[in-house]
Amino acid sequence: MHDVFELSEGHFGRAIDQRLAGLPRARAITSEHRAAVAHALAGSLLSLLSWWIHHGMRESPARMDDLYHRMVWIGLGSEVGLGCLN
């Protein structure tokens, strides 16, 4: 299971980095810092997924997706000093 999560973290991290690179309001983040943030966000996604599974998946996938994205946008907004980027 650890190998799956490690592989997923790398895959999601690269995808998140690419998405951030395309956001005009996130251009204040340097590419090195953006890669670190993307890796942290990927780890957060997998941690939330693990929590959701281990707690019986009581929340809907859509609700968990909304929770994750709210955390991301709030965190990124403070990262570039913009409040919410969404």
Side-chain angles (χ1 to χ4, degrees):
M1 190 65 163
H2 177 74
D3 291 341
V4 170
F5 270 78
E6 190 173 315
L7 181 64
S8 298
E9 189 173 50
H11 177 74
F12 290 137
R14 286 186 299 277
I16 292 168
D17 189 20
Q18 288 175 354
R19 184 162 181 202
L20 291 176
L23 293 175
R25 289 186 269 180
R27 292 208 175 112
I29 305 171
T30 66
S31 61
E32 295 82 18
H33 195 123
R34 190 183 64 237
V37 167
H39 183 79
L41 292 173
S44 178
L45 173 63
L46 292 169
S47 180
L48 185 60
L49 175 63
S50 176
W51 176 89
W52 182 63
I53 290 168
H54 288 101
H55 285 86
M57 299 183 290
R58 289 180 225 145
E59 300 290 340
S60 71
R63 187 164 164 94
M64 296 307 295
D65 181 63
D66 181 60
L67 173 62
Y68 174 74
H69 282 95
R70 279 189 287 129
M71 291 187 307
V72 167
W73 295 126
I74 289 168
L76 284 175
S78 65
E79 181 68 26
V80 296
L82 296 175
C84 186
L85 287 175
N86 199 350

